[in-house]
């Protein structure tokens, strides 16, 4: 093969004029006087085909080759092979044409669909009609071997070796008709009996009518055997049977012309009345059609199935449609057909033919075109390079986020899910999130809902540094949306993105805002809230199960002994107050010294061996319980209870709670100062009649008897029966100083900071005369969220 190509090229260079085309591979064709090569044009590298005839090898058929060259040069018709250039010398004839493929290849592979065959026969019939009627000529060699397909898939007629004008008495068909290779197999019956001169005795179209009938049989069934085909309708569509039989009639005068067959098929409901044929007929003048005609044409395109010639749509339909969409007003419907065709294009063809137009269309201000582009974006996004999406498409696409038309905003929002994997991290975490923050506040509830859904689906693409902050801010805001589906979408998004939040975020930032949805007015939201809460609770419980019991170091007393407040034991936890009793009795067990009775005498008391016995002893006598209580307070616990203070436990218990940060926590319980005496008694139980107020400043006490009696003890007038609830601080510092002075009379060591009296006036003033503390005044609860101050980069503000 290489030797042959080099020999041909050498012959061209040495013997004849320059031929600006290069020979490629040889194409295998049926028996013919021509040798077909694939070729390229040297100037631009475009494809072509080259028909080569070597004079010395086939000199007897030289008139046929010269006639073919002459007719191809002069015959101009869309259905005829297009000649690019030709060169003729004494030794060879070269004809450069458009790139062609023999139709025989497709017939042998049976790669043609019935609709495509009808479309091809339609084109050949129209061409033969032109030759017979307008050209007053006879083709004389019509068969599958003389038909080729172009790069666009269109059927092109060749084989002009014996094409002759009937007005020419010396036409080549009469003399050289029998020299056409394999002519005997396709010769009509009258010519087989009487020779080629019989053409003059019959209508000049009779030969081509018969050969067109045999061509129909070939394309539907394969090779034509040469036997009489009349009545053999195998494979031929039923709608063609009548016309086909009349084409192959044995009587040449009874045959219908190819033109008549063509017109018969074009009738409404005829075999040539198909969407594909209508499309090919109307594509050439699409730009000059009226709006109504263009709409009808495009509707026909939508009705086409996948059963159409891909090459024709790529080479012919696609360029015309793209031109119509961009300049001719084809609109979204035409672009929809473009996408249907482009789906079958290889990536190289898509990049060369479709991508440049798509990029330009994204800059088109026509809203209908923009929406159509966004709707079809999933069909082409995989074929668009990432650089093209980032640099050329997305900058034009984002204008849809702020468009006045809600449809454009919504479609732009939906397209985010399509292009997200093509966007860079810088664009995703910068420009895109800013636009999504705007759509999250859109006036259209559907757009707000879709923004929440979009964020939930692109969560994996967000940067890990600000992902949790953005998602929590967006979803928790949507939980307060008045649109029910927006709230439901927020709950579903939280359930789907839980993996991106820490356990601390789940417990402190998400669950508190999700829980109100458990009592939402809409059952749809309540059901989803329950599912979401269950997901987060399971995660929090799992995390809590792996945490240590405590992170506090073991506390020590001053003398190095163990902690005074013991850890609740299982037996104690059975009662809700068991831990408190255990702590109290443990404090008693650590007390040493003398116990003071109610009448002022002291009694030696050893440390109690067990909490249980002390509890019983406390319950046995009211007077002893009061004394034990004062003795227990004498030894303060070293564990501070205030979150922002280093004072000791008693100071933390009775100091004004205002230093605690969460000053609204106490107010949340309600104002209990409004309860009257009866209410207080009902709430806490009847007080014992013989129990004195341990924090009263009066020196008068109720005498205690050594033995219990059923006779009630008369209260002294100095003790008020009303519970102490004026909200002021007890004079605990003064009492503690007196106890310390009594224990160490010679010591002048000052009290710890925080326990000293604020002023002498306060210490001397009776408790009853002090003004009520501000903490007991009724306070309006502020429900506004507190400023956390943790939004350093401003992501929370956007949401």
């Amino acid at each position: 093969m290489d030797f042959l190509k080099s020999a041909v090229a050498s012959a061209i260079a040495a013997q004849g004029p320059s031929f600006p085309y290069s020979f490629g591979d040889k194409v295998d064709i049926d028996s013919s006087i021509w040798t077909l090569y694939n070729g390229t044009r040297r100037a631009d590298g475009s494809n072509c085909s080259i028909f080569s005839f070597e004079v010395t090898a086939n000199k007897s058929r030289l008139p046929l080759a010269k006639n073919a060259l002459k007719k191809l040069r002069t015959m101009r018709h869309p259905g005829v092979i297009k000649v690019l250039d030709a060169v003729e010398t004494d030794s060879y004839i070269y004809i450069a044409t458009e790139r062609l493929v023999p139709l025989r290849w497709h017939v042998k592979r049976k790669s043609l669909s019935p609709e495509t065959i009808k479309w091809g026969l339609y084109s050949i019939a129209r061409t033969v009609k032109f030759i017979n009627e307008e050209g007053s000529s006879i083709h004389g060699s019509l068969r599958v071997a003389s038909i080729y397909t172009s790069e666009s898939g269109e059927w092109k007629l060749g084989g002009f070796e014996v094409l002759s004008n009937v007005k020419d008495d010396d036409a080549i068909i009469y003399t050289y008709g029998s020299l056409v290779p394999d002519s005997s197999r396709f010769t009509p019956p009258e010519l087989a009996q009487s020779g080629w001169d019989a053409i003059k005795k019959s209508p000049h179209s009779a030969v081509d009518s018969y050969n067109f009938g045999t061509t129909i049989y070939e394309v539907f069934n394969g090779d034509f055997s040469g036997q009489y085909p009349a009545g053999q309708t195998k494979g031929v569509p039923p709608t063609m049977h009548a016309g086909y039989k009349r084409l192959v009639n044995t009587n040449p005068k009874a045959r219908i012309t190819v033109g008549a067959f063509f017109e018969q098929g074009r009738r409404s409901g005829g075999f040539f009345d198909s969407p594909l044929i209508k499309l090919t007929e109307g594509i050439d003048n699409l730009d000059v059609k009226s709006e109504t005609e263009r709409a009808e044409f495009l509707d026909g395109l939508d009705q086409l199935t996948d059963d159409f010639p891909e090459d024709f749509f790529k080479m012919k339909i696609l360029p015309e449609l793209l031109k119509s969409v961009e300049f001719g007003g084809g609109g979204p419907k035409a672009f929809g057909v473009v996408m249907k065709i482009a789906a079958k294009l290889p990536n190289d063809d898509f990049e060369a033919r479709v991508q440049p137009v798509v990029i330009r269309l994204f800059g088109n201000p026509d809203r209908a075109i923009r929406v159509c582009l966004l709707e079809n974006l999933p069909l082409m996004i995989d074929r668009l390079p990432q650089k093209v999406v980032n640099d050329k498409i997305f900058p034009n696409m984002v204008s849809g986020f702020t468009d006045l038309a809600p449809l454009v905003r919504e479609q732009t929002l939906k397209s985010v899910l399509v292009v997200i994997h093509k966007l860079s991290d810088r664009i995703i975490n910068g420009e895109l999130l800013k636009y999504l923050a705007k759509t999250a506040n859109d006036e259209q509830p559907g757009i707000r809902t879709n923004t929440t859904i979009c964020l939930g689906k692109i969560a994996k693409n967000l940067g890990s540094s600000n992902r949790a902050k953005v998602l929590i801010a967006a979803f928790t805001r949507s939980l307060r949306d008045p649109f029910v589906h927006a709230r439901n979408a927020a709950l579903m998004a939280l359930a789907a993105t839980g993996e991106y939040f820490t356990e601390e975020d789940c417990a402190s930032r998400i669950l508190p805002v999700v829980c109100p949805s458990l009592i939402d007015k809409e059952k749809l939201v309540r059901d989803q809230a329950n599912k979401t809460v269950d997901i987060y609770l399971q995660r929090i419980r799992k995390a809590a199960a792996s945490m240590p019991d405590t992170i506090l170091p073991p506390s020590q007393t001053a003398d190095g002994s163990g902690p005074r407040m013991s850890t609740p034991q299982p037996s104690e936890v059975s009662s809700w107050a068991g831990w408190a009793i255990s702590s109290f009795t443990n404090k008693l067990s650590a007390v040493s010294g003398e116990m003071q009775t109610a009448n002022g005498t002291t009694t030696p008391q050893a440390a109690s061996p067990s909490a249980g016995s002390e509890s019983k002893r406390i319950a046995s006598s009211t007077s002893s319980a009061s004394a034990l209580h004062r003795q227990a307070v004498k030894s303060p616990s070293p564990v501070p209870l205030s979150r922002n203070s280093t004072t000791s436990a008693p100071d933390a218990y009775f100091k004004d709670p205002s230093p605690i940060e969460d000053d609204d926590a106490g107010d949340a319980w309600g104002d209990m100062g409004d309860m009257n005496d009866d209410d207080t008694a009902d709430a806490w139980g009847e007080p014992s009649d013989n129990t004195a107020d341990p924090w009263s400043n009066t020196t008068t006490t109720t005498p205690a008897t050594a033995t219990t009696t059923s006779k009630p003890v008369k209260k002294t007038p100095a003790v008020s029966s009303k519970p102490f609830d004026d909200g002021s601080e007890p004079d605990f510092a003064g009492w503690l100083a007196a106890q310390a002075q009594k224990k160490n009379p010679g010591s002048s060591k000052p009290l710890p900071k925080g326990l000293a009296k604020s002023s002498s006036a306060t210490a001397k003033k009776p408790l009853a005369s002090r003004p009520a503390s501000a903490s007991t005044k009724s306070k309006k609860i502020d429900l506004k969220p507190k400023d956390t101050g943790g939004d350093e980069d401003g992501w929370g503000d956007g949401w």
Side-chain angles (χ1 to χ4, degrees):
M1 180 62 67
D2 294 338
F3 171 77
L4 180 60
K5 288 190 289 185
S6 62
V8 171
S10 300
I12 294 174
Q15 301 179 12
S18 61
F19 189 62
Y21 298 89
S22 300
F23 285 78
D25 298 332
K26 181 181 179 181
V27 179
D28 184 20
I29 58 175
D30 290 334
S31 56
S32 172
I33 67 172
W34 300 96
T35 302
L36 182 62
Y37 295 91
N38 290 327
T40 56
R41 187 176 181 179
R42 294 173 186 170
D44 55 7
S46 58
N47 294 330
C48 69
S49 291
I50 302 175
F51 288 89
S52 172
F53 180 81
E54 301 297 329
V55 175
T56 56
N58 205 359
K59 194 170 186 178
S60 61
R61 292 174 174 170
L62 179 60
L64 299 178
K66 289 185 176 182
N67 185 70
L69 174 60
K70 177 183 177 181
K71 298 300 180 181
L72 284 172
R73 277 176 167 174
T74 57
M75 185 76 66
R76 299 298 182 187
H77 191 272
V80 175
I81 293 174
K82 181 180 180 180
V83 177
L84 302 178
D85 199 355
V87 59
E88 180 181 359
T89 66
D90 294 339
S91 59
Y92 62 84
I93 298 175
Y94 297 146
I95 306 174
T97 68
E98 58 184 318
R99 176 61 65 88
L100 300 171
V101 174
L103 179 63
R104 174 71 65 189
W105 287 14
H106 301 291
V107 173
K108 286 183 177 180
R109 292 197 301 262
K110 296 182 178 180
S111 60
L112 300 174
S113 66
E115 289 300 317
T116 302
I117 293 175
K118 289 181 182 179
W119 170 58
L121 289 174
Y122 174 86
S123 178
I124 297 301
R126 183 177 57 181
T127 305
V128 174
K129 175 180 180 292
F130 171 79
I131 293 173
N132 292 159
E133 297 179 3
E134 282 79 3
S136 300
S137 301
I138 304 172
H139 185 279
S141 183
L142 185 58
R143 64 193 71 172
V144 170
S146 61
I147 302 175
Y148 301 85
T149 60
S150 66
E151 286 185 301
S152 62
E154 296 174 275
W155 291 17
K156 301 288 186 174
L157 183 60
F160 286 178
E161 288 79 13
V162 293
L163 192 148
S164 304
N165 192 309
V166 295
K167 297 178 181 179
D168 188 1
D169 293 335
D170 297 330
I172 193 174
I173 191 173
Y174 304 127
T175 306
Y176 295 95
S178 59
L179 294 180
V180 176
D182 209 11
S183 61
S184 61
R185 187 153 58 99
F186 300 94
T187 302
E190 67 274 13
L191 299 185
Q193 296 174 1
S194 305
W196 288 85
D197 287 338
I199 296 175
K200 299 177 181 179
K201 302 176 182 179
S202 304
H204 72 278
S205 62
V207 175
D208 291 341
S209 296
Y210 182 87
N211 287 338
F212 187 75
T214 60
T215 302
I216 292 175
Y217 184 88
E218 272 192 289
V219 294
F220 282 111
N221 297 282
D223 291 339
F224 176 62
S225 62
Q227 299 177 357
Y228 183 62
Q232 298 182 12
T233 57
K234 176 184 178 183
V236 180
T239 55
M240 287 187 180
H241 285 177
Y244 164 72
K245 289 180 180 180
R246 295 185 65 185
L247 285 172
V248 296
N249 197 302
T250 56
N251 183 1
K253 295 182 180 181
R255 295 173 193 155
I256 62 173
T257 64
V258 177
F261 181 83
F262 176 75
E263 295 298 336
Q264 181 182 348
R266 293 184 63 186
R267 296 172 185 171
S268 179
F271 43 83
F272 287 152
D273 184 17
S274 68
L276 180 59
I277 293 175
K278 290 180 180 179
L279 169 67
T280 58
E281 286 292 295
I283 191 62
D284 293 333
N285 54 355
L286 179 62
D287 292 339
V288 299
K289 290 181 181 293
S290 65
E291 290 292 334
T292 304
E293 291 174 340
R294 187 185 294 115
E296 292 177 357
F297 174 76
L298 295 175
D299 286 338
L301 288 177
D302 289 339
Q303 296 174 7
L304 289 177
T305 62
D306 294 335
D307 185 17
F308 57 78
E310 299 178 13
D311 293 335
F312 178 74
F313 275 68
K314 178 179 71 175
M315 302 297 294
K316 287 287 186 179
I317 304 297
L318 184 60
E320 292 295 330
L321 289 176
L322 287 174
K323 185 170 63 175
S324 177
V325 170
E326 193 171 5
F327 307 111
K333 186 173 291 186
F335 189 80
V337 180
V338 167
M339 287 294 98
K340 187 174 182 180
I341 299 172
K344 294 183 175 293
L345 294 179
N347 291 335
D348 293 341
D349 288 337
F350 181 89
E351 183 178 355
R353 300 175 186 274
V354 181
Q355 179 176 306
V357 179
V358 169
I359 294 174
R360 291 195 297 268
L361 287 177
F362 265 104
N364 194 318
D366 188 351
R367 286 193 175 100
I369 293 294
R370 296 289 299 278
V371 171
C372 183
L373 284 169
L374 295 173
E375 289 176 346
N376 288 277
L377 198 56
L379 301 177
M380 53 184 171
I381 188 61
D382 292 335
R383 298 186 174 205
L384 296 174
Q386 184 175 7
K387 183 174 179 59
V388 171
V389 176
N390 277 280
D391 299 344
K392 297 181 179 180
I393 292 181
F394 186 77
N396 289 325
M397 191 181 79
V398 295
S399 62
F401 286 113
T402 57
D403 196 277
L404 295 178
L407 178 62
V408 178
R409 298 200 302 273
E410 183 173 13
Q411 197 60 51
T412 305
L413 178 62
K414 291 179 180 179
S415 66
V416 171
L417 300 179
V418 179
V419 302
I420 188 67
H421 66 283
K422 292 280 187 176
L423 300 179
S424 64
D425 293 339
R426 178 184 60 83
I427 290 179
I428 293 175
N429 297 285
E431 189 174 2
L432 178 60
L433 284 182
K434 291 180 181 178
Y435 281 109
L436 291 181
K438 294 181 183 296
T439 57
N441 297 322
D442 198 275
E443 61 181 7
Q444 297 293 326
I447 295 179
R448 298 197 302 269
T449 303
N450 286 335
T451 301
T452 301
I453 296 173
C454 177
L455 278 171
K457 291 188 175 183
I458 69 171
K460 60 183 179 182
N461 302 101
L462 300 180
S464 57
S465 60
N466 60 2
R467 175 167 48 203
K469 183 180 296 184
V470 170
L471 295 181
I472 293 176
F475 296 159
T476 55
R477 180 177 186 139
S478 295
L479 287 175
R480 303 189 300 270
D481 198 295
F483 188 51
V484 57
H485 296 290
R487 301 197 300 274
N488 189 57
L491 291 169
M492 295 177 67
L494 283 170
T497 59
E499 60 183 299
Y500 302 117
F501 308 126
T502 63
E503 286 77 10
E504 290 77 6
D505 286 340
C506 296
S508 62
R509 302 182 64 186
I510 296 178
L511 276 181
V513 294
V514 171
C515 287
S517 299
L518 295 171
I519 55 172
D520 194 275
K521 295 180 180 180
E522 298 292 336
K523 186 177 185 299
L524 175 68
V525 179
R526 294 196 300 272
D527 292 344
Q528 184 59 47
N530 277 284
K531 297 177 183 178
T532 304
V533 168
D534 289 342
I535 292 174
Y536 280 90
L537 283 178
Q538 290 176 8
R539 182 177 177 188
I540 292 173
R541 288 167 180 163
K542 182 178 179 180
S546 62
M547 295 174 66
D549 293 343
T550 181
I551 61 172
L552 297 176
S555 57
Q556 299 291 332
T557 59
D559 57 356
S561 62
R564 293 175 178 172
M565 182 173 286
S566 64
T567 302
Q569 300 301 321
S571 60
E572 299 169 350
V573 177
S574 60
S575 173
W576 72 273
W579 64 272
I581 297 174
S582 174
S583 302
F584 181 65
T585 54
N586 284 340
K587 286 184 177 183
L588 293 180
S589 64
V591 174
S592 61
E594 297 179 347
M595 296 181 64
Q596 184 178 3
T597 61
N599 56 6
T601 61
T602 58
T603 304
Q605 178 67 34
S608 176
S610 66
S613 61
E614 290 297 342
S615 299
K616 294 177 182 178
R617 192 174 297 117
I618 290 168
S620 64
S621 175
T622 303
S623 59
S624 60
S626 178
L628 285 175
H629 191 78
R630 289 192 298 271
Q631 188 68 20
V633 174
K634 182 178 180 180
S635 301
S637 173
V639 181
L641 298 181
S642 176
R643 289 182 292 177
N644 61 349
S645 175
T646 57
T647 58
S648 60
D651 187 31
Y653 268 121
F654 301 106
K655 193 174 178 64
D656 183 24
S658 59
I660 300 178
E661 291 180 359
D662 194 1
D663 55 356
D664 291 334
D667 294 338
W669 290 98
D671 187 3
M672 296 184 63
D674 296 335
M675 297 175 63
N676 55 28
D677 296 346
D678 297 335
D679 294 335
T680 305
D682 294 338
W684 297 100
E686 283 294 328
S688 177
D689 291 339
N690 58 355
T691 303
D693 185 358
W695 306 113
S696 176
N697 284 340
T698 180
T699 58
T700 306
T701 58
T702 304
T705 58
T707 60
T708 59
T709 176
S710 59
K711 183 178 180 180
V713 179
K714 185 178 180 180
K715 299 178 181 179
T716 61
V719 180
S720 176
S721 62
K722 184 177 180 180
F724 177 80
D725 193 18
D726 64 350
S728 60
E729 295 183 5
D731 190 11
F732 178 67
W735 178 87
L736 190 59
Q739 295 295 324
Q741 186 68 21
K742 183 185 297 185
K743 186 174 181 181
N744 299 310
S747 175
S748 62
K749 185 177 181 180
L751 291 175
K753 182 179 180 181
L755 295 183
K757 296 181 181 180
S758 58
S759 65
S760 59
T762 305
K764 294 178 181 179
K765 183 182 294 186
L767 289 177
S769 63
R770 295 182 188 178
S773 174
S775 62
T776 62
K777 296 181 180 178
S778 61
K779 182 186 297 183
K780 183 177 180 181
I781 300 176
D782 186 7
L783 298 181
K784 293 179 62 179
K786 297 183 178 180
D787 185 10
T788 58
D791 229 358
E792 293 85 355
D793 53 3
W795 283 114
D797 297 339
W799 298 96

